[in-house]
């Protein structure tokens, strides 16, 4: 029997945490192992329990979910996958959390099956990348187009540059392979090269870097 995905819930509303726990604990292979009601408590609980996935509210007392995300990712290795849970998707807090290293975000009004799928997805080290939403966030809260291209852009091959653009469109490795007419292993290798050359933790971070650097322009 496989080891369940261990989850910590961080939200200042008890009812939200209770609802999330009921949904997740009912699923085979998922286990809620801890809860936190503040950002500071979230950091402490995650350091103690070392979960696989953290569902992190962005607006919490003491320190918010953004600072909590930064502290967790800076001090734990391996670090858990952090999913931002938010009421509004077009929110500077969401964008800042993605920049801080969150693997993606989920709306509090999401259906139960979408929540479960999101947890399973990030537990496999994939990212919750919603192309239109990330594009809109980058347009609203990004730094704007810089005067010079980022240093890493020159290190990308033409094929890797194409792969980064396809990643920003939300394509999976399999979809990238089909679009480029290459094998799945080749597509995976290209994605890994993009992450390495951009210095990104995952696909979400690579796409954020592409927008913020002007390599890809929102719109």
């Amino acid at each position: 029997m496989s080891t369940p995905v261990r989850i910590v819930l961080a939200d200042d509303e008890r009812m939200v945490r209770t609802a999330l726990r009921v949904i997740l604990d009912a699923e085979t292979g998922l286990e809620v192992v801890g809860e936190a009601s503040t950002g500071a408590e979230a950091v402490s609980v995650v350091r103690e329990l070392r979960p696989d996935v953290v569902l992190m509210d962005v607006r919490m007392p003491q320190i918010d979910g953004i600072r909590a995300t930064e502290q967790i990712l800076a001090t734990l290795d391996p670090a858990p996958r952090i999913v931002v849970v938010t009421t509004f998707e077009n929110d500077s807090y969401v964008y800042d959390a993605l920049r801080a290293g969150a693997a993606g975000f989920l709306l509090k009004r999401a259906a139960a099956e979408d929540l479960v799928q999101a947890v399973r997805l990030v537990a496999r080290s994939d990212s919750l990348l919603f192309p239109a939403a990330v594009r809109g966030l980058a347009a609203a809260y990004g730094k704007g187009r810089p005067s010079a291209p980022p240093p890493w852009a020159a290190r990308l091959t033409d094929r890797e540059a194409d792969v980064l653009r396809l990643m920003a469109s939300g394509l999976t490795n399999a979809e990238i392979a089909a679009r480029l007419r290459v094998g799945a292993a080749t597509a995976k290798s290209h994605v890994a090269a993009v992450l390495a050359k951009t210095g990104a933790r995952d696909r979400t971070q690579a796409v954020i870097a592409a927008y913020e650097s002007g390599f890809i322009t929102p719109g």
Side-chain angles (χ1 to χ4, degrees), residues 15-189:
M15 289 182 62
V16 172
R17 299 197 309 272
T18 299
L20 292 174
R21 179 183 281 274
V22 168
I23 293 169
L24 295 171
D25 277 345
E27 294 292 323
T28 302
L30 303 182
E31 179 185 7
V32 176
V33 296
E35 297 184 15
S37 59
T38 70
E41 187 181 1
V43 174
S44 177
V45 169
V46 170
R47 285 174 176 170
E48 177 186 356
L49 298 178
R50 298 296 185 97
D52 303 300
V53 176
V54 181
L55 297 184
M56 180 81 74
D57 188 16
V58 289
R59 299 176 183 269
M60 288 187 291
Q62 298 181 10
I63 63 173
D64 59 28
I66 301 165
R67 303 287 85 79
T69 294
E70 291 175 338
Q71 291 184 26
I72 289 168
L73 296 179
T75 58
L76 291 184
D77 185 19
R81 305 283 287 170
I82 298 177
V83 177
V84 173
V85 182
T86 180
T87 303
F88 306 105
E89 64 181 289
N90 188 22
D91 189 334
S92 62
Y93 275 76
V94 175
Y95 189 70
D96 287 343
L98 295 177
R99 291 182 63 204
F105 68 93
L106 192 66
L107 295 178
K108 288 188 177 181
R109 63 176 181 272
E113 57 267 27
D114 293 333
L115 168 66
V116 171
Q117 182 182 13
V119 170
R120 295 192 190 281
L121 186 67
V122 296
R124 297 197 305 265
S125 295
D126 289 329
S127 297
L128 287 176
L129 189 56
F130 305 104
V134 173
R135 185 165 56 247
L137 288 167
Y141 306 111
K143 297 177 180 178
R145 190 176 184 88
S147 58
W152 52 259
R155 298 195 292 270
L156 295 178
T157 65
D158 290 343
R159 177 51 58 91
E160 289 164 356
D162 289 339
V163 167
L164 179 52
R165 295 185 183 96
L166 294 175
M167 289 164 62
S169 297
L171 271 63
T172 64
N173 285 4
E175 291 167 337
I176 290 173
R179 180 72 63 88
L180 298 179
R181 298 183 179 180
V182 299
T186 299
K188 183 177 181 180
S189 177

